[in-house]
Amino acid sequence: MTGTASGLDARTMTVDGVALPATGTLDVIDPATGRVFAQAPDCAAPQLDRAMAAAAAAFPAWRHDEAARRALLRRSADAVDAAAGQLAPLLTAEQGKPLDQARREVASTGRWLRYFAELERAPEPAPEATPGAAVEVLRRPLGVVAAITPWNYPLLLAAWKIAPALRAGNTVVLKPSPYTPLTSLLLGEVLRPVLPPGVLNVVSGGDRLGALMTAHPTPRKISFTGSVATGRQVAATAALDLKRLTLELGGNDPALVLDDADPTAIADALFGAAFVNNGQACMAAKRVYAPSRLAGPLVEALAARARAVRVDAGTVPGAQLGPVSNRPQYERVGGLVDDALRHGAVAAVGGRQIDRPGYFFEPTVLAGAADGTRVVDEEQFGPVLPVVAYRDLDAVVRRVNAAPYGLTASVWSADPGRAAGVAARLEAGQVSVNAHGNGVLPHLPFGGHRASGLGVENGPWGLAAYTDLQVRLRPATG
Ligand code: NAD
């Protein structure tokens, strides 16, 4: 069976510009009901070979005409915008996020495609004079890029890879998460009439398909977004034939509140930064450190916001947080909260699964959490925020910098200059003052330090990651 009466779900893989049937299917579950609502194709190895071959065949022509690539990326952005009415409800159905947030993700997908269409590439810095030779330093596309994405922002994170890879002259095989394959498949369908055959291929399947892609001899680059554990496996496999690699991995992003901050004044922004996408965002604030004197009032201010937020199915008008996106994540969040409560934390609000079908979890603020508790030390990736009381700021900075992760971080204070001084001491790919994760923009590099990743996406830096440098020399004349 492929598809049901909803009409949202009869999606196909795109290979060489046409629909490629698969021999198997994957169930896709609506997290707001916990029920299967669609099947997606389950790509087997021979079909993956066809996708890789199509991408390799399309590469020589695609790499040669940058003006055409820019024009087609612009048209791709227009096509995504025009398909928003189909893409957004499908995103809500498979991922769970409220419809207005799904619409914003679709709009951002178009924005990223347009950004990379318009980006003016600066020439490489001219090298010093080379005796006897005229020298040029150029950037060349790599070939086929295998793009592997997670389930939290399936469309947007696909665009973060597709847009720079195509702009640089590469061709792409994209594999979304098995939890959220449908919007990426629909994206492939939407772009079929726009892009030449083989330039963008979209396949769907389970984790095994990702491993097959990483080990496949055709791609010259793997661009991966997902967990640290999977990222390590991807890096190990890619090393065997020295594929280029970008890894955007997990974070456990700290927010440090200084002793002059006003809990009521910062609570809205901090709550929004922690509960964005129901906490399922790589750059969400995932643990708060507050001076002992302020921890109580801050917990209460955050809990008040959590009580006021409307949790419901993403299709319900006014819903602000949807369900957790899939069952394993829902169970993991519940397990981390139970563990914290057993180890002395107190739920100022929330703390439980909501008693209704689907994967709904109460927005939860934990007081009395401490370093050494799993919910503080690990990435929870859900609607749960622990607040850790501290006495010694220097000790907090040392603890944060000693953690395995380093994606985003923030410092909150009535004195932004003082906060900037503390922020400068933090090891993370992005550090903000009186905001958190606010630099996730097409023109800024985004990436993690330490175990949070390798390389960056976005901006000219992200574009360069889809190229290799070439030095060209010829005899100097005259
Ligand atoms: P995941 O690692 O389980 O899966 C990510 C993708 O990898 C999926 O498509 C999956 O099918 C595929 N995959 C699984 N095993 C594979 C293997 N052995 N080889 C190749 N591919 C394989 O991650 P997830 O649960 O889908 O996503 C959540 C994680 O992603 C969180 O840790 C989150 O922080 C991270 N994330 C990071 C960023 C960032 O930009 N740094 C952005 C979003 C999400």
Side-chain angles (χ1 to χ4, degrees):
M1 186 174 92
T2 53
T4 65
S6 74
L8 288 174
D9 42 15
R11 304 276 65 96
T12 52
M13 300 195 291
T14 297
V15 171
D16 211 10
V18 296
L20 181 73
T23 46
T25 57
L26 299 169
D27 286 343
V28 187
I29 291 173
D30 177 348
T33 63
R35 287 202 296 270
V36 175
F37 79 102
Q39 270 80 36
D42 190 6
C43 182
Q47 293 140 4
L48 178 64
D49 287 343
R50 285 180 63 177
M52 291 294 178
F59 175 59
W62 180 250
R63 70 181 296 175
H64 273 304
D65 188 346
E66 182 158 34
R69 295 201 299 271
R70 296 180 74 171
L72 290 178
L73 276 177
R74 267 179 223 120
R75 282 186 50 201
S76 297
D78 293 343
V80 166
D81 290 349
Q86 267 185 296
L87 285 163
L90 190 58
L91 183 53
T92 292
E94 69 175 359
Q95 204 281 339
K97 65 186 69 188
L99 190 55
D100 58 335
Q101 295 168 32
R103 288 198 190 102
R104 284 205 287 280
E105 182 171 341
V106 176
S108 296
T109 303
R111 181 180 176 199
W112 250 261
L113 289 164
R114 208 164 271 118
Y115 169 79
F116 279 103
E118 302 305 337
L119 177 60
E120 296 300 337
R121 294 169 86 172
E124 293 305 310
E128 281 177 40
T130 307
V135 180
E136 282 177 289
V137 178
L138 301 157
R139 290 206 169 264
R140 314 250 297 170
L142 301 167
V144 176
V145 171
I148 302 175
T149 49
W151 46 259
N152 58 336
Y153 291 94
L155 264 183
L156 179 59
L157 295 177
W160 283 27
K161 302 181 184 315
I162 294 168
L166 295 189
R167 169 65 196 276
N170 305 278
T171 56
V172 171
V173 178
L174 167 69
K175 186 203 92 70
S177 163
Y179 295 110
T180 54
L182 302 174
T183 43
S184 297
L185 292 165
L186 179 53
L187 178 69
E189 293 174 28
V190 164
L191 297 183
R192 263 182 221 162
V194 178
L195 296 169
V199 164
L200 173 65
N201 306 275
V202 185
V203 295
S204 54
D207 294 350
R208 193 175 152 269
L209 181 63
L212 285 177
M213 288 171 75
T214 314
H216 201 281
T218 299
R220 293 314 314 142
K221 168 154 183 143
I222 310 292
S223 182
F224 172 86
T225 303
S227 62
V228 173
T230 310
R232 287 202 171 96
Q233 293 178 37
V234 168
T237 308
L240 296 176
D241 58 357
L242 296 176
K243 292 184 176 88
R244 273 62 182 138
L245 207 52
T246 299
L247 299 176
E248 293 286 2
L249 307 179
N252 188 14
D253 313 46
L256 274 60
V257 177
L258 303 191
D259 54 11
D260 61 356
D262 174 353
T264 320
I266 66 174
D268 274 340
L270 199 47
F271 183 83
F275 288 81
V276 56
N277 208 35
N278 217 11
Q280 303 163 120
C282 51
M283 77 303 180
K286 303 210 175 72
R287 47 188 169 141
V288 175
Y289 289 91
S292 303
R293 186 179 60 82
L294 297 183
L298 184 60
V299 164
E300 199 31 61
L302 291 167
R305 270 111 193 126
R307 280 183 210 108
V309 85
R310 175 142 183 222
V311 182
D312 213 329
T315 48
V316 173
Q320 293 167 294
L321 300 181
V324 175
S325 198
N326 54 69
R327 178 172 278 284
Q329 191 57 28
Y330 173 65
E331 287 172 355
R332 177 175 157 75
V333 166
L336 289 175
V337 170
D338 289 348
D339 178 78
L341 297 178
R342 275 199 307 275
H343 287 91
V346 175
V349 61
R352 284 184 313 235
Q353 297 174 344
I354 299 176
D355 186 17
R356 59 177 279 184
Y359 310 140
F360 291 90
F361 201 93
E362 294 174 342
T364 299
V365 178
L366 295 173
D371 283 309
T373 316
R374 285 184 61 206
V375 76
V376 180
D377 290 0
E378 299 178 21
E379 180 187 42
Q380 67 273 44
F381 220 59
V384 176
L385 183 63
V387 178
V388 182
Y390 75 83
R391 291 191 186 283
D392 178 353
L393 180 63
D394 290 336
V396 172
V397 170
R398 278 196 301 276
R399 283 202 305 253
V400 161
N401 285 341
Y405 296 104
L407 193 58
T408 67
S410 59
V411 184
W412 303 72
S413 166
D415 176 351
R418 183 180 165 221
V422 177
R425 295 165 58 197
L426 299 179
E427 299 296 338
Q430 186 178 118
V431 289
S432 303
V433 168
N434 291 343
H436 190 114
N438 55 326
V440 184
L441 294 163
H443 63 284
L444 295 179
F446 186 79
H449 291 191
R450 300 196 299 284
S452 288
L454 195 66
V456 296
E457 297 193 285
N458 302 332
W461 306 271
L463 182 62
Y466 289 93
T467 62
D468 269 343
L469 284 167
Q470 184 176 63
V471 181
R472 281 192 208 159
L473 304 104
R474 51 196 164 75
T477 50

